[in-house]
Amino acid sequence: MPSYTDPFRGEFDSLEEFADRVSDVLKCPVTIEDANHRLIAYSAHDDYTDPARTATIISRRVPEKVINSLWKQGAIPALLKSREPVRVPPIHDVGLGSRVAVSIWKNDEVIGFIWVLETNRTLSPEEMEWLKLAAKAAKNKVLQLYMRKNKKEERVQELFWKLLTSHIAAEDEIRAHLAAMQIPTAPQFAVVVFRFAADLTAEMERQISYLLQTTQQIPILLYTTDGRDVILLGAPKTDQPLKELSAFIESFAAKMKERFHIHDVQCGFGGVYSVYRLIEKSYREALAVLALKEKLGDEIKSVYGYAQLGIYQFFDFLLEKKRQGGWTNPALEKLQAYDRKHHSDLVKTFETFFDHNENVQETADVLNVHPNTLAYRLKRIADIAELDLNDMNQKIKLYIDIKLAKYEARG
């Protein structure tokens, strides 16, 4: 380390004052962020800025498109590994000018970042060393915010568990608790559960928290963890909440895979409601989706929402009634007996035909048979099962019983 004087020695009343000091020393605009890219301080009176910095200051957080670009470009992965300043070339598509950034560390964990916007100049090696000193000097101030944030998160998670388990059931009381903790409410919400292949480690929890804090697809009002589950309260913003939540889920899973190499994430979300005492109901429904996914696998791979389950919503109820009453479907029994005797696939043929909305060509393609062969099979199904293929009620009953038999067989 060169023998020059540390320009950041001394006390600073606030991080804003500290950001101004760094800006004065380096003669560049400065922003300071927490580990989840929320703005916590920035230098004032800067003559020059760029669109990315302006958007960050206005919204108090780095835009998600900027974060995504910095991940792809490699800047954020480098900052999460190194204590050295990282030079970030311009990314014009997202309005990002040339920058130098350095991480603020607490032991082996990154708790924040200092970003310096190079204004028609390049920081010298000496100034890069000063930036490292700035990161060390900022640690205690950022750590104070970090500790306060963690204490608040503990109280918030305790409240969320009370809501998930209906320990607070009165709507007015729930909203009062949310207001007291400065948690915003929303016109609609759903409980979303991500289930990982194994129990979450501390490192995985940090990575998941980072993604949830930085996403701007949907507002995340609350979140917590339980074993291998991440449970969150999402607030879709549009009049197509099922589509919005499904897109968020697919994006989250893709980012976990791309950025952190975490695979095998299952997900389900419960009903979308506007009354907060129904949080527990939405949670139970999300868990029901995951239970069905575990049993049915690829059959409902692309289904995430309880409302999208269709007939599968009723399978546990139907199975219980079937076992109590011993009901049977003679049409299905006849087809099963015929298949066993002749080593044929009439049950599968009917199921596939219905899976594909009775589209002959699509079904023939999936079964790898000629459409004429499919037509012959359907005629045999009608004859053997004494089934009227023009009667939707009969067809739906047979279809449900085929699916229910598969569900029962998988335990």
Side-chain angles (χ1 to χ4, degrees):
M1 174 72 66
S3 59
Y4 48 73
T5 304
D6 182 349
F8 307 112
R9 277 188 182 158
E11 291 295 320
F12 296 90
D13 291 336
S14 66
L15 274 169
E16 286 77 12
E17 184 183 340
F18 180 77
D20 282 335
R21 176 61 176 158
V22 178
S23 179
D24 290 341
V25 170
L26 300 180
K27 297 178 176 55
C28 293
V30 169
T31 54
I32 303 176
E33 303 165 8
D34 69 11
N36 295 317
H37 306 294
R38 292 183 182 274
L39 183 68
I40 52 180
Y42 64 95
S43 57
H45 314 301
D46 297 314
D47 294 329
Y48 173 79
T49 188
D50 63 15
R53 185 170 185 267
T54 300
T56 299
I57 291 170
I58 290 172
S59 64
R60 306 297 297 181
R61 63 193 296 181
V62 180
E64 189 171 10
K65 64 180 182 179
V66 176
I67 296 171
N68 291 340
S69 296
L70 289 168
W71 270 96
K72 291 174 186 174
Q73 186 262 2
I76 292 177
L79 287 166
L80 294 176
K81 293 176 183 175
S82 174
R83 296 171 192 260
E84 296 295 317
V86 173
R87 177 157 273 114
V88 183
I91 308 176
H92 298 298
D93 289 349
V94 294
L96 195 85
S98 179
R99 278 166 168 67
V100 175
V102 67
S103 305
I104 303 167
W105 291 78
K106 170 188 171 283
N107 300 326
D108 295 325
E109 183 180 353
V110 173
I111 60 172
F113 307 95
I114 300 176
W115 294 84
V116 178
L117 178 57
E118 292 181 310
T119 53
N120 300 317
R121 60 189 292 272
T122 301
L123 294 190
S124 67
E126 182 182 42
E127 289 170 326
M128 295 287 260
E129 291 298 326
W130 283 344
L131 186 55
K132 287 169 63 176
L133 292 174
K136 290 180 181 177
K139 183 183 80 170
N140 287 338
K141 285 288 185 189
V142 175
L143 192 55
Q144 290 172 17
L145 295 174
Y146 178 84
M147 297 301 288
R148 287 201 298 271
K149 179 184 172 187
N150 280 355
K151 286 179 182 176
K152 180 183 177 183
E153 282 183 357
E154 287 178 10
R155 296 196 305 272
V156 167
Q157 290 198 10
E158 182 182 353
L159 171 62
F160 193 22
W161 274 114
K162 287 179 179 178
L163 300 178
L164 290 169
T165 54
S166 281
H167 275 72
I168 309 174
E171 185 73 11
D172 289 347
E173 188 181 354
I174 292 171
R175 289 182 179 270
H177 278 284
L178 293 172
M181 292 194 183
Q182 298 179 313
I183 299 165
T185 54
Q188 57 183 354
F189 65 83
V191 174
V192 183
V193 180
F194 290 101
R195 179 163 292 167
F196 293 77
D199 282 358
L200 301 170
T201 63
E203 179 61 22
M204 286 173 69
E205 286 195 21
R206 278 196 293 271
Q207 292 164 346
I208 291 162
S209 175
Y210 174 88
L211 276 186
L212 294 177
Q213 296 277 355
T214 56
T215 184
Q216 291 165 37
Q217 279 186 282
I218 65 168
I220 307 299
L221 306 181
L222 297 162
Y223 74 93
T224 189
T225 58
D226 180 29
R228 58 194 182 109
D229 289 355
V230 174
I231 308 156
L232 59 93
L233 192 68
K237 298 172 285 189
T238 70
D239 59 359
Q240 293 187 305
L242 305 185
K243 185 181 292 186
E244 194 177 346
L245 286 161
S246 296
F248 161 69
I249 285 164
E250 290 173 354
S251 172
F252 177 91
K255 285 175 182 173
M256 289 299 297
K257 183 178 178 181
E258 292 164 7
R259 296 181 183 178
F260 305 119
H261 311 292
I262 295 174
H263 304 259
D264 302 322
V265 183
Q266 288 288 356
C267 184
F269 64 88
V272 179
Y273 300 110
S274 59
V275 178
Y276 279 79
R277 59 184 171 75
L278 296 178
I279 286 175
E280 187 260 349
K281 184 173 188 288
S282 186
Y283 178 45
R284 280 190 286 104
E285 291 167 346
L287 294 178
V289 175
L290 288 170
L292 282 164
K293 279 179 169 286
E294 193 171 329
K295 280 190 178 182
L296 297 170
D298 289 343
E299 204 155 326
I300 57 170
K301 183 179 180 181
S302 60
V303 173
Y304 304 112
Y306 187 75
Q308 299 165 322
L309 285 173
I311 60 172
Y312 293 113
Q313 281 188 15
F314 312 113
F315 270 23
D316 284 325
F317 170 77
L318 291 175
L319 200 54
E320 183 181 349
K321 298 299 286 184
K322 179 181 177 182
R323 287 167 177 168
Q324 288 175 355
W327 88 51
T328 60
N329 186 326
L332 177 56
E333 290 178 343
K334 289 177 182 178
L335 292 174
Q336 288 171 331
Y338 185 91
D339 281 344
R340 284 193 298 270
K341 183 176 180 180
H342 299 279
H343 306 289
S344 56
D345 287 314
L346 294 186
V347 172
K348 181 182 177 182
T349 296
F350 181 85
E351 180 186 11
T352 307
F353 184 55
F354 232 67
D355 282 343
H356 291 271
N357 293 317
E358 301 181 281
N359 186 299
V360 173
Q361 189 60 58
E362 280 185 19
T363 306
D365 290 343
V366 171
L367 295 174
N368 197 27
V369 299
H370 192 277
N372 290 344
T373 303
L374 174 61
Y376 172 76
R377 287 188 187 179
L378 291 172
K379 186 176 185 307
R380 293 293 296 141
I381 289 168
D383 291 343
I384 294 165
E386 296 185 272
L387 182 74
D388 183 355
L389 290 177
N390 293 315
D391 186 331
M392 184 58 73
N393 286 325
Q394 291 184 40
K395 290 187 292 185
I396 287 176
K397 178 67 167 62
L398 176 57
Y399 182 70
I400 289 174
D401 282 330
I402 290 172
K403 294 291 189 184
L404 193 59
K406 288 174 69 174
Y407 182 72
E408 184 177 18
R410 289 171 184 174

